[in-house]
Amino acid sequence: MITISTTYGYIRVSTREQNEDRQLIALREMAIPEQNIFTDKQSGKDFNRPQYKKLVRQLKPDDLLCIKSIDRLGRNYEEIQNQWRILTKEKKIDIVVLDMPLLDTRRGKDLMGTFLSDIVLQVLSFVAENERTNIRQRQREGIAAAKARGVRFGRPPRPLPENYHSAYQRWKAGAITGTAAAKECGMPLSTFRYRAEIYEKAKLL
């Protein structure tokens, strides 16, 4: 019985990094039918990816999966290694990593070829995880530096209600409670007190 293999492509992009076209062009150059290209638009933090799961369910022995780069399979060394094992050992398919021609399981299926492929996979998996760690570190350092310069993050606070000054003055004078003042301004007590601190620091009185 002759087994007919099918070629698939997988794309992952985050909602922040719109680089889908670059991956799509590379897969189209492999003459992969559009209906065989699966795309997830979410981060690689886990494998709760609907299109990836759908793809894996369809894979059968001797099929071929093409991906642009090794980090499309996962966010860290362990995940990439695990997915590679599932695809090549359990699903018994071939994988081609377009950015790294040495990672083509169709070539060198002898002992030496497998050995070299495993070494390349381990190195690239480590590099992918290391780069992700470096990106997070740079982000933390950038945020810390920005905060040191006085840059504020998050949504800007809502404008104070028109009656805030009056409610604030009566609250400060002890004429009404903080709860009553907050209710007049249509905000929770914790928000009223927080805005009062900002109000005082800004010396708006």
Side-chain angles (χ1 to χ4, degrees), residues 161 163-172 175-189 191-193 196:
N163 66 334
Y164 187 87
H165 179 78
S166 172
Y168 172 85
Q169 291 283 31
R170 286 181 287 129
W171 169 65
K172 288 293 286 187
I176 59 173
T177 65
T179 301
K183 186 175 181 180
E184 283 186 22
C185 296
M187 59 179 63
L189 177 59
T191 301
F192 178 84
R193 292 184 181 279

Side-chain angles (χ1 to χ4, degrees), residues 105-201:
T105 60
R106 297 172 300 178
R107 303 176 182 176
K109 288 183 178 292
D110 58 4
L111 183 60
M112 179 58 69
T114 301
F115 173 71
L116 292 175
S117 180
D118 285 347
I119 290 177
V120 174
L121 173 63
Q122 291 183 38
V123 170
L124 291 181
S125 301
F126 171 78
V127 170
E129 179 174 359
N130 192 57
E131 177 59 20
R132 185 179 178 87
T133 300
N134 289 339
I135 289 173
R136 288 198 299 264
Q137 179 63 28
R138 289 195 293 269
Q139 288 174 337
R140 286 194 294 268
E141 291 173 353
I143 291 172
K147 287 182 176 179
R149 295 194 305 270
V151 177
R152 298 184 63 183
F153 293 87
R155 293 180 297 179
R158 293 181 180 180
L160 291 172
E162 294 182 0
N163 66 334
Y164 187 87
H165 179 78
S166 172
Y168 172 85
Q169 291 283 31
R170 286 181 287 129
W171 169 65
K172 288 293 286 187
I176 59 173
T177 65
T179 301
K183 186 175 181 180
E184 283 186 22
C185 296
M187 59 179 63
L189 177 59
S190 59
T191 301
F192 178 84
R193 292 184 181 279
Y194 172 71
R195 297 301 295 271
E197 292 179 7
I198 298 176
Y199 195 64
E200 291 167 358
K201 291 178 181 178

